[in-house]
Amino acid sequence: MPATERAIELLTAAAEAAHDKKAENVLAFDVSEQLAITDAFLVASASNDRQVRAIVDAIEEKLRVDFDAKPVRREGAREGRWVLLDYLEIVVHVQHDEERNFYSLERLWRDCPIIPLPGADGTVAVPVIADRTADEDPTPSSSAVEPSSAAE
C-alpha cells in the first residue's frame, strides 16, 4: 500500500519549508512497503549545523501551523548534525552534508519508490539516485533530473 494522501501532503509542506531555508538535495522515499511504522522518509541536507537547525525549525513550524502536526519524537537537534523528526506518517531527516554523504540514506533506501516533490523553484521533478538503473525508476513517465540540479 503506497504512502497515504496525508503523508504526501506533509512531505510536500515539509519540502517547501526546507527549500525556504535553502536545504539541499531534498528527497522523499515511500517506505510503506518496507516499514510498518511510517509511510515515507524526507531527507534534506545543509552545509552547516546552524542551517540544519533552521531547516528543522521551519519544517516544524510549517507542519504545526498548516496541519496541526507535532513530531512525536525529535532527536539530534542539540548537535545539529542529523536531526530526526518523527510525525508517525512521515519521518524527516535533516542532515549535515558530511553525515548525508557518510550514511547515504539514498543508497540504503534506493529500492523504495521516490515521491516527486516540488523543488526550490516550485517545479516537480523526480531525482535520479546513484546506483539506480533506468529499470528501477519508480516513475518512468516523469522527467528525471540529478538531485543537485533540482535544487538550483
Side-chain angles (χ1 to χ4, degrees), residues 6-98:
R6 170 140 169 107
I8 302 296
E9 290 173 351
L10 291 171
L11 286 171
T12 301
E16 290 170 356
H19 283 300
D20 287 347
K21 294 298 180 182
K22 308 295 185 218
E24 301 166 353
N25 298 323
V26 180
L27 299 173
F29 296 94
D30 183 335
V31 296
S32 60
E33 294 293 323
Q34 286 74 18
L35 295 175
I37 58 172
T38 192
D39 285 346
F41 283 167
L42 180 78
V43 183
S45 55
S47 59
N48 61 65
D49 302 356
R50 178 178 281 176
Q51 188 179 11
V52 167
R53 285 191 215 75
I55 292 166
V56 167
D57 290 345
I59 290 171
E60 284 186 298
E61 176 74 9
K62 175 91 171 159
L63 297 184
R64 184 183 56 76
V65 169
D66 292 357
F67 296 93
D68 195 31
K70 295 179 184 171
V72 295
R73 193 173 73 189
R74 183 182 204 245
E75 295 183 14
R78 179 174 293 173
E79 297 82 18
R81 302 290 296 179
W82 179 349
V83 179
L84 179 142
L85 301 172
D86 184 351
Y87 286 92
L88 297 178
E89 294 101 340
I90 68 168
V91 175
V92 176
H93 301 269
V94 182
Q95 299 175 296
H96 190 285
D97 288 336
E98 293 171 3

